[in-house]
Amino acid sequence: MSLIKIENVFKIYGDEGCENEVRALDGVSLEIDYGEFVAIIGSSGSGKSTMMNMLGCLDVPTRGEYYLDGIPIRERTERELSDIRSRRIGFIFQGYNLIPSLTVWQNVALPMTYQKVNPGDRYQRAIEALEKVDIASKAENRPTQLSGGQQQRVAIARAIATKSPIIMADEPTGALDSKTGVQVLGILRQLNEEGTTIILITHDNGIAAQAKRVIRVQDGRIISDSAPGDDPFIMSQTKKEVASAVGDGTTPSGALRVENGRAAWAGARAGGLTQ
Amino acid sequence: MTAILMALDSIKEKKGRSFLTMLGIIIGVCAVLVLVAMVTGYNSDITSYYEKLGVNKVEISIDYYLSSRSPDVTDELYEYGNVDMSDIVTGVTPDLSTTGTVIYKDDNLDTTIYLGSDQFSTCNNYTLAKGRDISQADIEGRTKVCLLGTYVAETLFGQKSPVGETVQINGASYTVVGTYYQKDGTAEDSMDDMVVIPYSLNREVLGSSVISSYIVKVDTSNDMDAAIEELTTWFADEIDEYTGEVTLENGNSDLTSSTEETASLSAILGGIAGIALLVGGIGIMNIMLVTVTERTREIGIKKAIGAPRSEIVTQFLVESAILSAMGGIIGILLGFALSLIMGKILYDLILFPSTAITIAGFLFSIAIGIGFGLYPAVKASGLQPVDALRAD
Ligand SMILES: Nc1ncnc2c1ncn2[C@@H]1O[C@H](COP(=O)(O)OP(=O)(O)OP(=O)(O)O)[C@@H](O)[C@H]1O
Ligand SMILES: [Mg+2]
C-alpha cells in the first residue's frame, strides 16, 4: 500500500463540454510512497496547485479516486478529514495564507491547537520552527508587517512546526532569494531524511533537481515521472544552477548530477547560510 | 476560553457595528423588563385599591316593584348571615349612603354619610381607632351616634379627640362615639372622607324606609360562590317574583376582571417586546453573515490547517452569543433604570423588574444569539477549504 494513490482524477472548472470548460486536471494517476521526496514541476497554469490542493484534502476531484493510506478520501468523514489536515499533512501554500489578526508566532502555533498540543509547548515549538527559517526575530509582529519572503518563511515554519509525516509545499521558495531558497530546501531534505514525505511544487528545474523524483505536469496531465537525473529538462540546466549554488563554478559530471545536487546542498549548509 | 477572547477581540475591533447589532436586543430586553414591571405596578395598584375597599363582598341589590309594598328583610338577612351562614359569613350590613354636611363649631365639611349596621366596619374594611363602633342598641334605639373617618376627624378636630363631642349632620345633632384608622391617605374624596351612622336612621336621613342594597362579607374568596348560591336560595324564599328582583354580585369580580384585563394587556405588550427581541435576533444573524463573508478566507486557512468544523462553529456561535449577552446585560441595566423612573412617576412605587423576568430576559437574549448565530456559523464551517481560500 502506498501513502498516496490517485486514479484517473479529473478536476474540471466551468461547465463540462461547454466552451468555458477548464480541465485543470485531466485524468491524472499517481502513486507516492512513504518517505518519498517528490517535486512536481510544470509551467504556470499547468494544474500543479490544483493537484496539490487535492492531495492535501483541501479540494475534491470532479471525478476519480484518491486513496490516502489506502483508504478512499470520499469515505472519510468531515471529522477525519480535518484530522488528516491537522495531524498528517503540513501544507505550505503558494499564497502563504497567514491570518492577519494573529502575530507571527500565533500563526505558527495555530495548527498545534488543532493537534491538541499542550498549550505550554506551543510557543516553544513555534519559536523553534521560526528559528529554522531565520525569522524568529519577527515572532511578535503581524504578518502584514513582513516582506513577501519573510511571510513565506513564516508559512514554512507553520508547516514544519506541525511535525506532520507529510509536507506539501506549493512553491515554497517562490518569494525567496536563492540562498534562502537553498536553506529551505535543506530543511525539507533533512526532514525527508528523518522520514517525512515531501511533495514540493516548483517551476524551477534547479529546485526539482534536489528531489528524488520529478513529476512533470502539463495541461493537467503528467507528461513524465522519473528520477531527476532522467528528467529531460533538468539535465542541462541543473549543472549550471547547482554549480552556482555551491559557488565553485565547477560543472558536475553527468553521472554525478544527482549526487552533486546533494553535495551542493550539503556544501551550502556547511557554509552556514544566513539571511 | 480562547474562543471567548477571540470573539471579544473581534467585537472590540468593530465597536460601532457591534453596538448597532446589540441595539435590537438592548431595546427588546429593556422593553420586556419595563413592561412587565409596569404591569406589575399597575396590578398592585389595582389590587391594593380593591383590598382597601374590602374584598370578598357579596353585593346584593333588590329592585322592588312596588315601593309601598316592599317588605323589609334587613333583620332576617342579618340573622340568616350571622346564624345560619356563620361558618362562612363575617358580617352583614345595609349598603346605604348619601352626601351631607358635617358641622363642628365653626367648621363644616361636605362628606359621604354611610348608614350601616354594627358590622359596617367589618364589611367595608374599616378598623376602629378610638371609642366604640355602632352597637345593636344604637340601631334598635335609632340613637344619633356617628363614627368619623380620619379625614373628617382631622379636618374638624385637628389633633383633638372627637370622641364624646357633638356634631351637626344635615342639621341634626349626633354624638361622635368613635373614629376609624386611616386606610386611604386621609385626603378629600378618599375612603377616609366619610361618616357612619346607624342604618335605622334611614327614614330620617334618606326620607325612605326602603332598604334595597346590602353587603354580605364572606370569610375567604373560596367561599364566595357557595355564599352566593346559598343567599340566592334564601332570597328566592323571602322575595317572590311578584315582589321584586334580587341581584347578587361577586364583589371580587371587578378585581378579577381587571386582573384579567391587565393579563391580556401584558400578553400583548409582551408579544410586542418579543417581536423587538426577534428583530434584534435577525440583526445579529445579519451581522454574523456579514462577518462570515468577511472572514471566509480566515475560515479557509483554519480549515486547511486542520480546524475541525466544531471549532469554526464554536468561534462564530461564541461571538454571536457574547454579542447578544452583552446586549441583554445593557438592556437589563436600562430596564432597571427605566422601571425605577416610570414606577416613581406612574404609581409612586419603587418598581424593579422581577428576578425571574430579568434572568429569563438574559437567558433569552443568549438563546437568540445562539439561535440566530447558528445558521451563519454552520454555513461558515461547511465551506470547502479551497473555496474559502479563494475568497478575498
Ligand atoms: N477556481 C477556478 N475556476 C476556474 N478555473 C480555475 C480555478 N482554479 C484554477 N483554475 C484553472 O485551472 C488551471 C490550473 O490552475 P493551477 O492553479 O493548478 O495552476 P498551477 O500549475 O498551480 O499554476 P502556477 O504555477 O501559476 O501556480 C488554470 O488554467 C486555472 O486557470
Ligand atoms: Mg500554483
Side-chain angles (χ1 to χ4, degrees):
Chain A
M1 184 186 67
S2 43
L3 170 62
I4 282 169
K5 183 178 175 193
I6 57 177
E7 264 175 1
N8 206 20
V9 157
F10 289 81
K11 183 73 193 181
I12 298 166
Y13 293 109
D15 305 306
E16 225 179 321
C18 296
E19 242 176 67
N20 63 357
E21 178 197 88
V22 178
R23 296 189 166 219
L25 292 179
D26 192 7
V28 177
S29 299
L30 175 68
E31 267 188 69
I32 295 172
D33 241 317
Y34 294 92
E36 279 202 79
F37 190 148
V38 183
I40 298 172
I41 188 163
S43 55
S44 183
S46 54
K48 308 182 294 294
S49 294
T50 307
M51 187 150 112
M52 188 75 112
N53 288 339
M54 232 194 49
L55 297 181
C57 300
L58 308 182
D59 204 355
V60 284
T62 310
R63 251 180 288 141
E65 220 42 82
Y66 171 20
Y67 303 88
L68 185 70
D69 298 317
I71 300 166
I73 278 298
R74 277 183 210 285
E75 285 172 15
R76 298 285 198 176
T77 63
E78 178 72 36
R79 179 99 223 166
E80 286 172 331
L81 281 179
S82 55
D83 234 47
I84 289 170
R85 291 181 201 120
S86 128
R87 290 172 201 276
R88 301 278 290 144
I89 302 168
F91 206 100
I92 303 168
F93 303 88
Q94 190 168 12
Y96 322 143
N97 281 335
L98 302 172
I99 295 176
S101 58
L102 300 179
T103 63
V104 162
W105 82 261
Q106 285 169 334
N107 263 286
V108 176
L110 191 58
M112 290 187 246
T113 65
Y114 306 137
Q115 293 177 320
K116 306 262 188 295
V117 172
N118 178 1
D121 297 342
R122 291 175 199 161
Y123 178 76
Q124 199 48 43
R125 270 173 66 174
I127 295 296
E128 275 167 22
L130 287 166
E131 274 166 356
K132 275 194 186 165
V133 287
D134 288 334
I135 197 78
S137 61
K138 303 282 187 190
E140 300 292 342
N141 287 68
R142 302 266 162 180
T144 45
Q145 297 166 328
L146 270 53
S147 75
Q150 289 170 328
Q151 288 184 45
Q152 183 149 46
R153 279 182 277 160
V154 176
I156 294 165
R158 180 174 62 187
I160 60 179
T162 62
K163 302 198 169 151
S164 302
I166 311 167
I167 288 207
M168 299 189 181
D170 194 347
E171 303 256 19
T173 58
L176 302 181
D177 58 89
S178 56
K179 260 183 158 184
T180 322
V182 169
Q183 184 190 3
V184 164
L185 267 178
I187 294 165
L188 294 180
R189 291 193 61 149
Q190 194 191 345
L191 286 172
N192 178 242
E193 266 155 32
E194 289 161 5
T196 310
T197 308
I198 309 277
I199 306 171
L200 170 95
I201 287 182
T202 181
H203 53 251
D204 184 324
N205 287 323
I207 289 167
Q210 307 284 313
K212 291 177 187 162
R213 177 178 167 193
V214 175
I215 294 170
R216 198 162 280 279
V217 179
Q218 192 184 314
D219 297 332
R221 290 191 183 148
I222 292 177
I223 54 165
S224 83
D225 182 351
S226 61
D230 302 326
D231 186 279
F233 296 87
I234 293 179
M235 291 177 60
S236 54
Q237 246 183 335
T238 319
K239 296 175 192 167
K240 272 189 285 168
E241 284 177 13
V242 166
S244 71
V246 177
D248 63 5
T250 53
T251 305
S253 71
L256 287 171
R257 267 189 316 261
V258 179
E259 253 53 56
N260 271 344
R262 278 193 185 156
W265 160 73
R269 253 185 119 209
L273 263 182
T274 50
Q275 255 180 285
Chain B
M1 194 55 221
T2 40
I4 294 174
L5 291 179
M6 268 166 58
L8 284 175
D9 263 356
S10 116
I11 290 169
K12 239 190 321 192
E13 209 169 281
K14 30 182 197 177
K15 281 192 206 75
R17 192 166 95 182
S18 303
F19 177 73
L20 289 176
T21 310
M22 280 186 259
L23 208 53
I25 299 287
I26 293 175
I27 293 172
V29 169
C30 178
V32 169
L33 260 57
V34 172
L35 287 175
V36 171
M38 288 308 108
V39 168
T40 312
Y42 179 70
N43 262 339
S44 74
D45 208 39
I46 293 264
T47 310
S48 78
Y49 173 78
Y50 279 102
E51 267 164 11
K52 278 188 250 168
L53 217 54
V55 289
N56 305 339
K57 294 197 270 192
V58 180
E59 293 160 2
I60 301 155
S61 64
I62 308 160
D63 185 12
Y64 289 113
Y65 297 141
L66 277 169
S67 54
S68 57
R69 284 215 354 243
S70 53
D72 185 15
V73 295
T74 309
D75 289 341
E76 288 83 352
L77 179 62
Y78 187 91
E79 194 185 316
Y80 187 71
N82 282 291
V83 178
D84 299 279
M85 289 177 72
S86 62
D87 51 335
I88 53 171
V89 165
T90 55
V92 178
T93 182
D95 188 18
L96 302 170
S97 66
T98 180
T99 52
T101 312
V102 186
I103 304 171
Y104 175 68
K105 291 185 177 162
D106 296 331
D107 293 317
N108 68 74
L109 179 69
D110 289 330
T111 188
T112 309
I113 316 289
Y114 289 98
L115 294 92
S117 73
D118 59 329
Q119 291 170 341
F120 171 88
S121 53
T122 312
C123 292
N124 291 297
N125 207 24
Y126 285 93
T127 313
L128 191 70
K130 283 182 198 143
R132 64 167 179 88
D133 222 324
I134 292 170
S135 69
Q136 295 220 313
D138 292 334
I139 291 161
E140 280 159 23
R142 298 206 176 120
T143 325
K144 290 208 173 59
V145 294
C146 68
L147 283 99
L148 310 182
T150 48
Y151 178 69
V152 177
E154 281 180 20
T155 312
L156 296 180
F157 294 91
Q159 297 303 311
K160 209 172 89 182
S161 170
V163 178
E165 300 289 335
T166 302
V167 294
Q168 307 290 316
I169 300 176
N170 289 349
S173 294
Y174 285 77
T175 307
V176 179
V177 292
T179 58
Y180 292 122
Y181 276 114
Q182 161 180 320
K183 73 165 184 172
D184 193 25
T186 316
E188 193 171 353
D189 294 330
S190 72
M191 295 174 203
D192 296 319
D193 183 0
M194 53 80 77
V195 168
V196 199
I197 58 174
Y199 73 86
S200 48
L201 295 165
N202 62 330
R203 194 189 300 261
E204 195 178 326
V205 175
L206 302 173
S208 157
S209 60
V210 181
I211 299 176
S212 55
S213 323
Y214 301 92
I215 290 169
V216 174
K217 169 87 165 178
V218 177
D219 198 15
T220 67
S221 58
N222 295 336
D223 295 328
M224 285 297 278
D225 291 337
I228 290 171
E229 202 173 306
E230 208 170 330
L231 286 167
T232 308
T233 319
W234 183 81
F235 270 108
D237 277 352
E238 291 292 317
I239 298 162
D240 61 41
E241 51 189 313
Y242 307 108
T243 316
E245 189 184 340
V246 182
T247 316
L248 292 101
E249 256 182 79
N250 184 335
N252 289 351
S253 61
D254 284 351
L255 175 62
T256 314
S257 67
S258 91
T259 317
E260 274 165 9
E261 257 168 49
T262 53
S264 62
L265 183 73
S266 62
I268 293 169
L269 293 176
I272 293 172
I275 290 172
L277 270 178
L278 202 70
V279 171
I282 293 170
I284 285 192
M285 174 152 74
N286 191 27
I287 219 68
M288 290 315 293
L289 282 173
V290 172
T291 307
V292 165
T293 314
E294 281 174 353
R295 288 206 234 133
T296 305
R297 205 178 153 77
E298 182 188 314
I299 296 165
I301 297 171
K302 286 184 172 168
K303 287 200 78 171
I305 60 176
R309 272 190 91 145
S310 57
E311 179 89 18
I312 310 285
V313 172
T314 311
Q315 183 193 336
F316 284 92
L317 270 192
V318 165
E319 188 167 331
S320 62
I322 286 183
L323 212 52
S324 60
M326 282 169 79
I329 289 171
I330 297 175
I332 285 169
L333 294 178
L334 265 180
F336 268 78
L338 262 177
S339 299
L340 276 176
I341 294 169
M342 289 181 62
K344 189 77 195 148
I345 293 171
L346 290 180
Y347 307 117
D348 200 22
L349 286 174
I350 295 179
L351 282 181
F352 283 113
S354 72
T355 320
I357 283 292
T358 308
I359 292 170
F362 182 66
L363 293 181
F364 191 60
S365 63
I366 291 181
I368 279 204
I370 291 174
F372 285 95
L374 200 61
Y375 169 65
V378 168
K379 189 183 158 191
S381 72
L383 290 166
Q384 189 67 242
V386 80
D387 295 329
L389 282 172
R390 254 197 294 272
D392 40 29

